Amino acid sequence: MSKMTFAAAIRDGLAVALDRDPKVLVYGLGVPDPKGVFGTTMGLQQQFGSRRVFDMPTSENAMTGIGVGAALGGMRPVLTHQRLDFALLSLDQIVNNAAKWRFMFGGKRGVPITIRMIIGRGWGQGPTHSQSLQAWFAHIPGLKVVMPTTPEDAKGLLLSSIFDEDPVIYLEHRWLHNLEGEVPPGDHRIPIGSARTLRSGGDATVVAMSLMSIEALHAADHLALQGVHCDLIDLRTVRPIDWPSIEASVRRTGRLLVVDTGYQTGGIAGEIVARIAGSCWKDLRAAPQRLAMPDVPEATSQALTEAYHVRAEHIARAIGQLVEKPVEFASLAAERRHPHDVPGDWFKGPF
Amino acid sequence: MNADLSRRLLRDMIRIRAVEEGIVTRYSQQKMRCPVHLSVGQEGPSVAVGAVLRPTDLAVSGHRAHAHYLAKGGDLPAMIAEIYGKATGCCSGKGGSMHLVDERVGFMGSTAIVGGTVPVGVGLALAKSLGAGDDIVCIFIGDAVLETGVFYESASFAVLRQLPVLFLCENNLYSVYSPLSVRQPEGRSLAGVAAGIGLGTSSGNGNDVAEAYDLIAAAVAKIRSGGGPQFVELATYRWREHCGPLFDNDIGYRTVEEFEDWKARDPIAAFTARLFAVKTIDDKWLAAEGAAIDGEIEAAFRFAEQSPFPEPSERFSDLYAA
Ligand SMILES: Cc1ncc(C[n+]2csc(CCOP(=O)(O)OP(=O)(O)O)c2C)c(N)n1
Ligand SMILES: [Mg+2]
């Protein structure tokens, strides 16, 4: 085990994969540049050569299709986008080719491509550098969608994605890049489709993903001091969802709150609430709730993001309502030492 | 080129640089909380276009648009206020530096997705072509836009319908930290590619504002007279980092020699010297214009600082027609 950041854990995972299998390719805008995609690809080209680790033109759709073709030709491409929003240009190749190939040709060949997309938030990222569209990808049969929260999972899910036989959309939150944690060495894999229980408690089940799992963790720990104890389930994969873990928890607690980094309408949170309402109807003691982004784009001005973002205090308040107990949550906001629109003092912009 | 035009071009370049440098000196205060892509060093093409276009001509642009907006006549205080996230900003704080708009002067919008406004500009030209008059649409693009599929599809349609479009390509050799060599085959000319699509093309030195003006004026005259869409490629160079206020020659994607070489070809210094030599300007003119520009910029920053932030409830506004 060694302590490293989420970004370093991704770099570690890429290096392990490149080292282990000569079929692994790593490419994307800025992959070999001096900033190395927020440090996640730093030095990989020097280590593994420019035939396997390379920059690309600003041709997202073509370079995705080229990745699909390379995958069909036996490679394991890892394509990186500095923002999810840029990957939107490649939806055709992702949805019509990568996701469908195995199915539409009767199961002959799959497309083992991994597509990393980074989700932005706050500090002026604005309408087109902050979208968290996991629900779009999770909607598509044939894709798998992972959203790691911890450095260990960042590495473990990346390795599982790269060596999966089907296309995986790997969504990483910019605000998690500096998060530190213990990461096992070598080819450490976390299985796709399995959630992780971050906290155990019988009063309510809180399901979250990515950055929201960290916010929910702060909320859960804060409420535990007040005698409210939650199961906190970090989804880790949003397609396929680990239903047994969620259902087992809800059967015990009878109460569910899902916290989502995406827009509310048509989101993952709504999907989970719907499914649990059906499968755990008799166990529910309160109406299942969701807390997601409002159904408007994120504005650029900090005056418009303060009340827009979901943070620990909002989650604590929602849990209090769910368990029907008066809880204190204002101090979560009061104790925050950095402005609301940055993940911590380490972030000074610009992106 | 007559003296008035020469002085205008020089003044506009000095003004744009001073605005960008005004952002540079204040950026570390963390009050401008959005990414900024500055045009210091590449003011030439913008002001040349600005002097050729009429207010009823339209323009669209991308992430590096301050110079384009200002050259088209965009409201300076509204731009600075937008970067400060204020209610008085040109997008009421919704957009920030990468989204500028001033419809009064035909600046129809700049957006942050590379290539995103190219088809939009062609569509604006389609609308123009269905009306009367000989207005045109200028689509500002960087060298990286010739890597996007949408450029080819849009340019093709513009050629097919002979639409009144000017593709104004500022080739500054880089996309973020990636040189052209990792994005285009060796020896390829961007104007040559554009010619292959059927666009009329010309190319020249964007750091020579007089040359840029002549090329653009000729291209626009062709478009107005029904000669079809034109592509003008102008070589230039960004001095500061891709995104943000600093210099980044130390990080290794380009050499200090290359940077110094381009800096020696400063479009403002070169044109200033030229106008001095032919006595179109003198020290007095420079001092007076400099003072007026500085005053205007100080006032714009003061306006931005003193403007109110949008009300939090505004985060839900503007999504649909009321
Ligand atoms: C579709 C898309 N891909 C990637 C990006 C990230 N990006 C922002 S600016 C930029 C560079 C564009 O280079 P160029 O067009 O030459 O303009 P310059 O920055 O040199 O003015 C890139 C790749 C983006 N905004 N949109
Ligand atoms: Mg460029």
Side-chain angles (χ1 to χ4, degrees):
Chain A
M1 291 288 239
S2 49
K3 196 169 178 147
M4 62 176 83
T5 63
F6 186 99
I10 290 174
R11 194 215 170 272
D12 191 32
L14 290 171
V16 168
L18 283 159
D19 189 48
R20 197 198 142 99
D21 185 348
K23 305 281 191 206
V24 173
L25 308 175
V26 174
Y27 68 101
L29 285 175
V31 159
D33 83 17
K35 301 264 173 99
V37 191
F38 311 113
T40 62
T41 58
M42 205 68 116
L44 292 175
Q45 189 177 58
Q46 287 86 326
Q47 204 175 333
F48 297 99
S50 57
R51 287 167 63 85
R52 294 175 60 208
V53 180
F54 49 93
D55 209 328
M56 70 176 206
T58 311
S59 309
E60 282 84 358
N61 195 32
M63 293 310 300
T64 304
I66 287 165
V68 170
L72 291 169
M75 299 292 147
R76 292 191 178 275
V78 184
L79 167 56
T80 300
H81 299 284
Q82 309 228 9
R83 281 291 179 276
L84 178 150
D85 316 67
F86 310 156
L88 298 183
L89 277 77
S90 60
L91 282 178
D92 169 52
Q93 287 298 329
I94 294 174
V95 175
N96 287 325
N97 279 346
K100 304 288 192 297
W101 205 274
R102 184 185 297 282
F103 181 84
M104 70 188 173
F105 291 112
K108 288 180 189 60
R109 207 176 263 267
V111 181
I113 188 174
T114 301
I115 307 178
R116 291 175 54 200
M117 304 179 192
I118 295 168
I119 299 164
R121 155 161 150 151
W123 209 95
Q125 300 307 296
T128 59
H129 278 55
S130 64
Q131 297 173 91
S132 193
L133 300 176
Q134 61 273 19
W136 282 23
F137 299 106
H139 189 63
I140 303 300
L143 297 180
K144 298 180 183 179
V145 186
V146 300
M147 294 186 83
T149 305
T150 65
E152 179 188 351
D153 291 344
K155 175 178 174 180
L157 278 169
L158 182 60
L159 282 161
S160 292
S161 301
I162 294 171
F163 293 108
D164 197 273
E165 295 307 326
D166 290 302
V168 182
I169 308 297
Y170 179 99
L171 301 175
E172 60 195 75
H173 206 290
R174 177 75 183 106
W175 282 27
L176 294 176
H177 275 150
N178 255 34
L179 189 82
E180 285 195 336
E182 296 293 333
V183 177
D187 190 359
H188 173 71
R189 300 192 194 179
I190 299 289
I192 293 172
S194 96
R196 183 199 290 268
T197 301
L198 294 177
R199 290 289 183 272
S200 299
D203 295 329
T205 300
V206 179
V207 176
M209 81 278 283
S210 185
L211 178 67
M212 284 303 109
S213 293
I214 298 296
E215 294 294 325
L217 195 61
H218 289 305
D221 287 349
H222 184 71
L223 294 184
L225 299 173
Q226 302 175 48
V228 174
H229 300 279
C230 303
D231 269 5
L232 173 56
I233 297 177
D234 179 22
L235 271 180
R236 302 200 292 190
T237 300
V238 298
R239 184 187 183 104
I241 287 174
D242 181 355
W243 296 113
S245 291
I246 302 173
E247 286 168 355
S249 172
V250 172
R251 293 214 164 90
R252 277 191 296 107
T253 65
R255 298 176 199 269
L256 172 69
L257 170 70
V258 189
V259 194
D260 199 327
T261 59
Y263 300 124
Q264 172 150 312
T265 296
I268 300 294
E271 178 62 28
I272 293 175
V273 166
R275 165 90 171 223
I276 295 301
S279 64
C280 300
W281 178 248
K282 293 216 168 61
D283 305 292
L284 286 169
R285 295 196 277 151
Q289 299 294 331
R290 62 189 156 157
L291 192 52
M293 298 298 278
D295 282 326
V296 285
E298 175 163 336
T300 304
S301 172
Q302 65 266 36
L304 300 175
T305 51
E306 175 130 39
Y308 175 83
H309 291 150
V310 174
R311 293 182 295 273
E313 56 269 30
H314 309 117
I315 300 171
R317 183 178 58 198
I319 295 171
Q321 285 164 357
L322 182 67
V323 300
E324 297 168 85
K325 284 195 185 141
V327 298
E328 189 283 320
F329 53 85
S331 60
L332 280 166
E335 281 159 19
R336 189 170 293 112
R337 258 176 279 284
H338 50 80
H340 81 275
D341 61 348
V342 292
D345 291 333
W346 61 272
F347 192 92
K348 300 253 181 325
F351 65 106
Chain B
M1 181 174 292
N2 72 47
D4 281 344
L5 176 59
S6 298
R7 280 191 290 261
R8 175 197 168 151
L9 292 174
L10 179 58
R11 186 187 189 283
D12 288 354
M13 288 197 292
I14 293 172
R15 177 172 177 263
I16 287 170
R17 179 163 307 173
V19 170
E20 300 287 57
E21 292 294 342
I23 294 169
V24 166
T25 55
R26 294 168 178 87
Y27 200 64
S28 65
Q29 297 169 359
Q30 290 279 321
K31 289 182 190 167
M32 290 178 260
R33 297 175 87 77
C34 63
V36 290
H37 302 80
L38 305 179
S39 285
V40 179
Q42 44 182 85
E43 297 87 354
S46 299
V47 305
V49 182
V52 171
L53 296 188
R54 321 164 167 149
T56 50
D57 291 326
L58 305 179
V60 292
S61 180
H63 57 287
R64 193 179 309 284
H66 298 176
H68 307 154
Y69 168 97
L70 293 173
K72 189 72 178 72
D75 184 315
L76 172 63
M79 178 182 107
I80 302 296
E82 186 59 34
I83 301 173
Y84 274 78
K86 296 300 182 77
T88 53
C90 60
C91 306
S92 319
K94 295 258 169 52
S97 160
M98 295 194 289
H99 305 93
L100 300 176
V101 65
D102 191 344
E103 295 188 353
R104 289 174 316 120
V105 296
F107 193 85
M108 299 303 285
S110 57
T111 68
I113 301 298
V114 171
T117 53
V118 172
V120 175
V122 172
L124 288 165
L126 176 66
K128 284 274 187 202
S129 77
L130 298 174
D134 60 355
D135 285 344
I136 72 145
V137 179
C138 174
I139 303 176
F140 286 100
I141 57 178
D143 42 282
V145 172
L146 272 85
E147 296 148 31
T148 69
V150 77
F151 170 77
Y152 295 89
E153 300 175 37
S154 306
S156 259
F157 185 75
V159 172
L160 177 71
R161 294 285 292 258
Q162 291 291 291
L163 297 176
V165 179
L166 171 66
F167 293 94
L168 199 284
C169 179
E170 290 172 280
N171 184 349
N172 63 5
L173 307 178
Y174 293 91
S175 166
V176 193
Y177 311 119
S178 303
L180 274 167
S181 60
V182 299
R183 300 179 286 124
Q184 297 281 356
E186 204 183 327
R188 172 179 282 174
S189 120
L190 300 185
V193 172
I197 306 170
L199 295 166
T201 64
S202 56
S203 45
N205 178 5
N207 281 14
D208 178 339
V209 71
E211 180 179 331
Y213 179 88
D214 288 342
L215 289 174
I216 293 164
V220 170
K222 267 189 216 154
I223 301 169
R224 291 206 203 284
S225 61
Q230 304 290 313
F231 181 98
V232 178
E233 178 188 359
L234 294 170
T236 187
Y237 199 75
R238 143 176 80 70
W239 288 9
R240 291 185 179 270
E241 60 188 332
H242 164 70
C243 179
L246 307 175
F247 291 101
D248 62 0
N249 301 312
D250 55 313
I251 67 174
Y253 72 101
R254 61 187 194 186
T255 63
V256 174
E257 294 76 63
E258 180 185 277
F259 170 77
E260 292 297 346
D261 185 44
W262 277 95
K263 226 181 148 190
R265 289 182 269 156
D266 177 359
I268 296 180
F271 203 52
T272 304
R274 207 143 101 203
L275 298 193
F276 254 109
V278 296
K279 300 199 164 42
T280 300
I281 59 167
D282 54 20
D283 283 321
K284 213 174 113 217
W285 182 89
L286 265 184
E289 293 299 333
I293 287 168
D294 289 347
E296 184 200 6
I297 293 171
E298 280 305 318
F301 277 96
R302 209 174 319 121
F303 170 80
E305 292 254 14
Q306 290 171 358
S307 288
F309 279 109
E311 287 300 321
S313 61
E314 290 297 316
R315 68 190 184 279
F316 298 118
S317 66
D318 301 326
L319 195 57
Y320 299 106

